[in-house]
Amino acid sequence: MYNSSAADGAANTEAGSRVFVYEVEGMRQNEETDNMTPAIRNSGSIFIRVPYSRMNQEMQRIARMGGKIVNIHLQDVNQSNGHLTSSESKAHDRSDSSTVIAKGEQNNSSKSAKNELPPQKSEKEGKPMTQAKPKADKHKDVPVNIYRPNAPYIGQCISNEELVGEGGIGTVRHLIFDISGGDLRYLEGQSIGIIPPGTDKNGKPEKLRLYSIASTRHGDRVDDKTVSLCVRQLEYKHPETGETIYGVCSTHLCNLEVGTDVKITGPVGKEMLLPEDTNANVIMFATGTGIAPFRAYLWRMFKKAEQEANPDYKFNGLAWLVFGIPTTPNILYKEELEEIQEQYPDNFRLTYAISREQKNPEGGRMYIQDRVAEHAQELWKLFQKENTHGYICGLKGMEGGIDEALTAAAAADGVNWIEYQKEMKKAGRWHVETY
Ligand SMILES: Cc1cc2nc3c(=O)[nH]c(=O)nc-3n(C[C@H](O)[C@H](O)[C@H](O)COP(=O)(O)OP(=O)(O)OC[C@H]3O[C@@H](n4cnc5c(N)ncnc54)[C@H](O)[C@@H]3O)c2cc1C
């Protein structure tokens, strides 16, 4: 079972006195950057020295200024036997703040910082940072493409309900389809295709769109006869005409009348499957409809009827959902999620980032990456465990902020997060589905 105090209690005191060097690209010239010495250039990298205590704030500040952190090194604090050069000592005098290093200076200091970095665990022990085991084809029995676009399954819509509460933004519907008449089987984390009726602008039949399955393999009624989706109606302003455009398939689904037939293909996808290990830690980052596969996981893990249907599956690890939404009425499946949290406080953690209502430490909107930054130490500790899996689902582009937040925490232990994440991916422990 997950022990939160064990994860919390590992504050790295040694790390607290360290100074890191951020290599940053793309900082925009503005009032804030104008005050930096030396001044920000319009192109190329700049290097910012950051005390450990300010790593997260500094990352967020850099992001606000349009910068992208491309590398983080541990600063050589022991340089000259602890005697810092004058520019370095300035940074240390103001140990609560950060210093921009001129490019030339950095070239030396970066080199020495790199050279003097404590060897990562992998180097010390002569093994990779995570134990990437070659993936045996453990997914060979996963059902895929049972129904193809030229011969789709015709499923009837048996339920179509709004998920966004009053005052929320947009339309998101929970749809249930009857699949009892065929052979459509699927696993949690897979997707199905929907072929909308009609033709596209070239007069060709509309192509399928993929949707993550929001139900467990047994369906919402736990009778193996349904599949559920969580669909947001795509709505945007045409960039040139300003006209409101509605997406073809999402609008078709959101307006679908109960009793209507729909063309279904699939299932597809092996990227987002749940680990077989029932003691695994499952860390989920979702934005909006990215919740769909995680709802399926959580039902499988915690719903009573599911537990009865799966006597061989008893989840014992930690499931932690970090869920980004714009407003409280946009918290999809809120009651279900909070009920599970109430019933299983030791095994399920729920963290919301409600961007238009909550504030991040800088007073800006609270996005998922701010929550990740807030819990970065604890998340990093968890990701170092071999049985922890990370899942990202939802808006394209959400990975960047999550990576930045975890980069700082990993760097405090002298580990490059991006490299570490690659190892996790190789080991089948890092799963991303964004659209
Ligand atoms: C693996 C996977 C899983 C998915 N799961 C889900 C899910 O669970 N729920 C869900 O709701 N969706 C999901 N999607 C997205 C879904 O497949 C569709 O892309 C989405 O519903 C839009 O389809 P549509 O037919 O309504 O829009 P279309 O009519 O196909 O219009 C989409 C097109 O509109 C244009 N467009 C979109 N936004 C803008 C903009 N802001 N400005 C200018 N042009 C724009 C782009 O050209 C885009 O290609 C998933 C996608 C993938 C790949």
Side-chain angles (χ1 to χ4, degrees), residues 191 209-212 230-232 234 236-237 239 246-251 289 292 433-435:
S191 301
R209 271 66 160 184
L210 288 176
Y211 293 92
S212 307
C230 169
V231 179
R232 181 180 85 90
L234 173 66
Y236 65 91
K237 294 262 182 254
Y246 295 98
V248 172
C249 192
S250 59
T251 300
T289 54
E433 191 158 272
T434 52
Y435 45 84

Side-chain angles (χ1 to χ4, degrees), residues 29-215:
Q29 199 88 33
N30 63 19
E31 274 174 29
E32 196 169 347
T33 54
D34 281 350
N35 291 333
M36 287 178 157
T37 314
I40 299 299
R41 274 156 291 221
N42 286 327
S43 60
S45 296
I46 59 148
F47 297 86
I48 304 177
R49 203 154 34 214
V50 189
Y52 174 75
S53 61
R54 283 194 49 82
M55 288 183 84
N56 286 338
Q57 289 101 309
E58 192 58 21
M59 277 186 174
Q60 285 158 7
R61 197 169 70 97
I62 289 165
R64 278 202 313 278
M65 293 188 288
K68 184 170 166 30
I69 299 170
V70 292
N71 207 346
I72 297 184
H73 307 306
L74 184 64
Q75 168 70 42
D76 171 15
V77 280
N78 296 322
Q79 191 172 313
S80 319
N81 291 328
H83 299 292
L84 304 170
T85 63
S86 60
S87 61
E88 281 171 331
S89 62
K90 247 190 250 158
H92 282 262
D93 291 343
R94 295 156 52 234
S95 63
D96 63 333
S97 65
S98 315
T99 306
V100 178
I101 311 168
K103 206 165 185 173
E105 182 191 351
Q106 165 59 22
N107 282 343
N108 301 329
S109 81
S110 164
K111 236 186 256 158
S112 69
K114 261 191 214 158
N115 291 342
E116 309 247 341
L117 265 179
Q120 296 179 348
K121 273 197 186 102
S122 58
E123 291 164 16
K124 270 191 220 161
E125 294 162 16
K127 60 181 181 182
M129 287 180 288
T130 63
Q131 294 68 34
K133 295 188 183 103
K135 268 193 258 179
D137 192 9
K138 58 181 181 188
H139 296 325
K140 65 181 182 334
D141 297 328
V142 175
V144 285
N145 295 319
I146 300 172
Y147 289 92
R148 293 183 181 272
N150 55 4
Y153 178 77
I154 309 297
Q156 193 181 75
C157 174
I158 54 173
S159 172
N160 182 354
E161 287 181 1
E162 181 61 57
L163 289 171
V164 177
E166 214 170 311
I169 298 163
T171 294
V172 183
R173 312 282 300 189
H174 182 73
L175 293 118
I176 308 179
F177 299 98
D178 179 354
I179 55 166
S180 60
D183 187 31
L184 186 59
R185 292 161 282 116
Y186 60 90
L187 297 179
E188 300 77 17
Q190 290 194 287
S191 301
I192 52 171
I194 300 288
I195 307 176
T199 50
D200 63 18
K201 58 180 190 302
N202 300 318
K204 299 240 169 75
E206 284 287 350
K207 294 209 167 58
L208 71 83
R209 271 66 160 184
L210 288 176
Y211 293 92
S212 307
I213 295 171
S215 51

